[in-house]
Every structure is written in C-alpha cells, then in structure tokens.
Amino acid sequence: MPGTSLRPLFTAQQIQKRIQEIGAQIDSDYPDGSLYLVCILKGACFFMADLARAIEREVVIDFMGISSYGRGKTASGAVKLTKDLDTTVEGADILLVEDIVDTGVTLNYLMNVLELRKPRSIRIAALLDKPDRRVRPVKVSYVGFQIPDEFVVGFGLDYAEQYRNLRDICVLDEPPAA
Ligand code: IMP
Ligand code: MG
C-alpha cells in the first residue's frame, strides 16, 4: 500500500515458540478426549494450522465465517454469520481459535451463539489480544501476546485483505497526515 510502512513486532520464530507453549498448555489442561477446534475465518487459519499441530491430543477442526461490516481498520460493531459449523457440537469441548481480540464484539457474539448449542465446555485461544480496546466482555483462556492499541498485519491478519501471508506480525504505520 503506498505510503504505509511495516514495523516488525513478533518474528516468525517468536510466534512459533509461543504457539508450541500454548499447545502444551492445552494438552495438559484438558481431560482425555477429542478437542473441537473452531477456526474463525479468515485471519485465524494460519494460527489454527500451527496450533492444531502443537497439540498432541485428538482434535477435530471446523470453521466459522463471520462478517463484521467494514473492510478497513475498524468494524462497525454488527456481526453476521456467513459460514456455520459442519456438525452439531452438543457435549463437545470447543476451543474457539481467533487471530486477535480487539473490541470483543465478534467473540462475545460467537460465544453466545455456541453456548446455546450445549457444548460440554467452550474456551477461547487468541494469538493476539488488545485489552485496551475492549467494549464487550470476553474471557480469553489462551493468549499468544498482549499488544498495545496498534493496527497489526501478517500471520493471517489483514488490512483490506492484504498482508495475510507475511511470516512476521508487523505494525502497519500510516504516513503522517499532510
Ligand atoms: P473485535 O470483534 O473488535 O474483537 O474484532 C476482531 C476482528 O477485528 C479480528 O478477528 C480481526 O479480523 C479484526 N482486527 C482487530 N484488530 C486488528 C488488527 O490490529 N489488525 C488486523 N485485524 C484486526
Ligand atoms: Mg478476524
């Protein structure tokens, strides 16, 4: 994007190390049985692919699509389900896998939707957390990194669909206003 610059925040190596730690933590926290990983499209698919392989217990993977109106840096607050799970999750141990928790609107909505389906348990794993931005309460059980209120891209995270394939997580800096 013209005029913008990328400032590395976490390297690919730091991200992988943290994901291995979270995977081990998840393995030790859950009782025996299969874990139902739910990836929130699209940003979380890179995190989910690595997290699933950092977990040694049996996992099932599934996807949920969400559109939160607005394609730039801020969402409007309205959330719509664009793709639902493939199966029922009654009695399942669900782990919702998200790229970043910002205002909390998305995950607050999804938790409400999924709780109605009577899973045995439901927890959240998020690669990044921006706690300063929260407007809806969300309990995140596994966090990769807490970050300040800056807009980040890479490792799945986008700005207007760009930058998802960057290996590092970078802050997207705007040019100073003219
Ligand atoms: P929330 O509903 O405000 O918590 O927003 C969560 C969603 O907003 C994430 O899944 C991302 O798609 C997007 N988002 C929030 N902050 C960032 C960011 O810094 N970079 C890229 N996407 C972000
Ligand atoms: Mg997202």
Side-chain angles (χ1 to χ4, degrees):
M1 300 246 160
T4 53
S5 67
L6 296 168
R7 177 161 44 92
L9 192 60
F10 301 108
T11 64
Q13 206 182 2
Q14 289 173 311
I15 298 165
Q16 287 310 321
K17 180 167 175 282
R18 187 69 191 113
I19 293 176
Q20 297 309 312
E21 290 168 0
I22 296 172
Q25 184 68 51
I26 289 169
D27 270 325
S28 75
D29 285 356
Y30 279 89
D32 283 345
S34 179
L35 195 53
Y36 200 100
L37 297 181
V38 175
C39 171
I40 302 165
L41 295 170
K42 303 170 193 172
C45 69
F46 294 74
F47 176 41
M48 155 102 132
D50 287 336
L51 183 62
R53 287 175 290 183
I55 294 172
E56 286 183 7
R57 68 178 51 249
E58 223 176 88
V59 301
V60 168
I61 67 167
D62 206 340
F63 299 86
M64 266 183 139
I66 279 291
S67 81
S68 42
Y69 302 90
R71 274 169 33 89
K73 288 189 176 181
T74 46
S76 66
V79 180
K80 194 178 85 180
L81 211 61
T82 58
K83 190 222 168 287
D84 206 340
L85 299 175
D86 289 339
T87 62
T88 58
V89 287
E90 193 172 335
D93 288 310
I94 297 178
L95 184 63
L96 268 174
V97 181
E98 177 60 306
D99 49 8
I100 186 165
V101 194
D102 186 31
T103 63
V105 168
T106 307
L107 281 170
N108 184 282
Y109 169 83
L110 283 177
M111 287 294 276
N112 289 336
V113 167
L114 291 173
E115 263 159 12
L116 292 173
R117 301 180 188 182
K118 306 203 175 0
R120 182 164 71 170
S121 70
I122 174 161
R123 287 186 186 173
I124 294 169
L127 181 59
L128 300 172
D129 182 15
K130 281 194 228 178
D132 298 346
R133 295 256 311 161
R134 205 74 90 248
V135 298
R136 296 276 170 82
V138 174
K139 182 176 172 229
V140 189
S141 299
Y142 305 99
V143 178
F145 305 99
Q146 285 203 343
I147 62 167
D149 181 11
E150 293 193 283
F151 197 83
V152 291
V153 295
F155 205 81
L157 291 146
D158 75 305
Y159 174 59
E161 296 299 326
Q162 298 285 306
Y163 306 112
R164 291 194 197 274
N165 60 331
L166 294 180
R167 288 162 185 253
D168 301 334
I169 294 171
C170 302
V171 176
L172 185 68
D173 286 318
E174 299 267 17

